[in-house]
Amino acid sequence: MHLTVIGATGMVGTRLVAEALHRGHHVTAASRHPTRYECPGARSLLVDTSSGEGLDAAVAETDALILSVRTSPGQEDRLAPDTARVLDAAARADVPVLVIGGAGPLRSPTDPSRRVADDKTYVPNDWRPLASASAAQLDACRAHTGARWTYLSPPAILQPGERTGTYRRGTTTLLTAQDGTSRISAEDLAVAALDEIEHPGVNQHITVAESLDPGLGASPHIVGE
């Protein structure tokens, strides 16, 4: 399978590229600064989601597109229109898109009537602009006509860590552990993302979190709610 990762030089993007190559896929690593990250085996491509530069080349002759981008502080309002621009290009090429979004649009596990973006238990005040931007990003996906997309929300905490190959999968509600924490490593998020690409589910909005049983090691992933 030929996959294109937009945002390939970011914390999540580098793990997505590595996981895809590990599974034997052909990978195009697309970003605004492709020289910042050299990954043997991947083809580098200049893509700017703000201007649209390189988007048609990114979706040409690829089987699936993974969008994993973030905005700088103060520029959060660019995330939704940039995502819509990517969906436009994907729709023209009839290529499915997996959007690695944010936890903001998920439902709070303690109050399903509230979004995580509005729950200070999971989103401190200084994170709220990005959380709200991710909610707007999902709205942009839902409003788009013609594109085939899936939105993957990470848990509240997403950091570099260990690749265990396991995770729990949910839909529209934030997944938490018994102590109330909600986290996953960027490496295991990449595992979940590539699983979704290889074996697409029926839900357009999904989420994942770390496995509750660390003794599972590298066994297949766990399906949650």
Side-chain angles (χ1 to χ4, degrees), residues 90-141:
R92 289 193 295 269
D94 192 26
V95 172
V97 185
L98 177 63
V99 180
I100 309 298
L106 291 169
R107 294 289 131 190
S108 168
T110 58
D111 182 0
S113 67
R114 301 175 67 189
R115 301 179 309 175
V116 168
D118 303 317
D119 190 336
K120 292 184 179 180
T121 302
Y122 303 103
V123 179
N125 286 335
D126 55 343
W127 291 6
R128 289 194 70 182
L130 183 56
S132 297
S134 66
Q137 182 186 40
L138 177 57
D139 288 342
C141 291

Side-chain angles (χ1 to χ4, degrees), residues 9-206:
T9 59
M11 186 263 288
V12 174
T14 55
R15 273 87 177 167
L16 291 167
V17 171
E19 182 67 25
L21 289 172
H22 173 72
R23 298 186 186 208
H25 297 298
H26 299 286
V27 181
T28 295
S31 70
R32 287 186 299 166
H33 306 286
T35 58
R36 287 184 181 177
Y37 173 69
E38 296 294 337
C39 185
R43 179 176 75 100
S44 296
L45 181 68
L46 173 64
V47 169
D48 188 337
T49 58
S50 296
S51 66
E53 180 182 2
L55 280 178
D56 286 329
V59 298
E61 299 182 2
T62 195
D63 296 306
L65 182 68
I66 307 177
L67 176 65
S68 178
V69 295
R70 286 292 178 268
T71 57
S72 301
Q75 297 182 329
E76 291 85 0
D77 59 349
R78 288 174 42 185
L79 187 58
D82 284 4
T83 299
R85 202 170 288 112
V86 172
L87 293 177
D88 287 342
R92 289 193 295 269
D94 192 26
V95 172
V97 185
L98 177 63
V99 180
I100 309 298
L106 291 169
R107 294 289 131 190
S108 168
T110 58
D111 182 0
S113 67
R114 301 175 67 189
R115 301 179 309 175
V116 168
D118 303 317
D119 190 336
K120 292 184 179 180
T121 302
Y122 303 103
V123 179
N125 286 335
D126 55 343
W127 291 6
R128 289 194 70 182
L130 183 56
S132 297
S134 66
Q137 182 186 40
L138 177 57
D139 288 342
C141 291
R142 287 173 169 160
H144 199 281
T145 58
R148 293 183 286 146
W149 58 268
T150 302
Y151 192 92
L152 172 56
S153 283
I157 298 175
L158 174 63
Q159 296 174 329
E162 179 186 0
R163 182 193 185 280
T164 70
T166 66
Y167 58 91
R168 288 176 294 144
R169 184 182 188 279
T171 52
T172 58
T173 298
L174 186 76
L175 295 177
T176 59
Q178 291 182 346
D179 62 1
T181 59
S182 175
R183 65 177 68 243
I184 198 171
S185 69
E187 288 76 5
D188 281 341
L189 182 77
V191 171
L194 266 295
D195 283 352
E196 184 66 25
I197 288 288
E198 294 174 348
H199 306 286
V202 298
N203 303 109
Q204 281 193 293
H205 187 194
I206 61 174

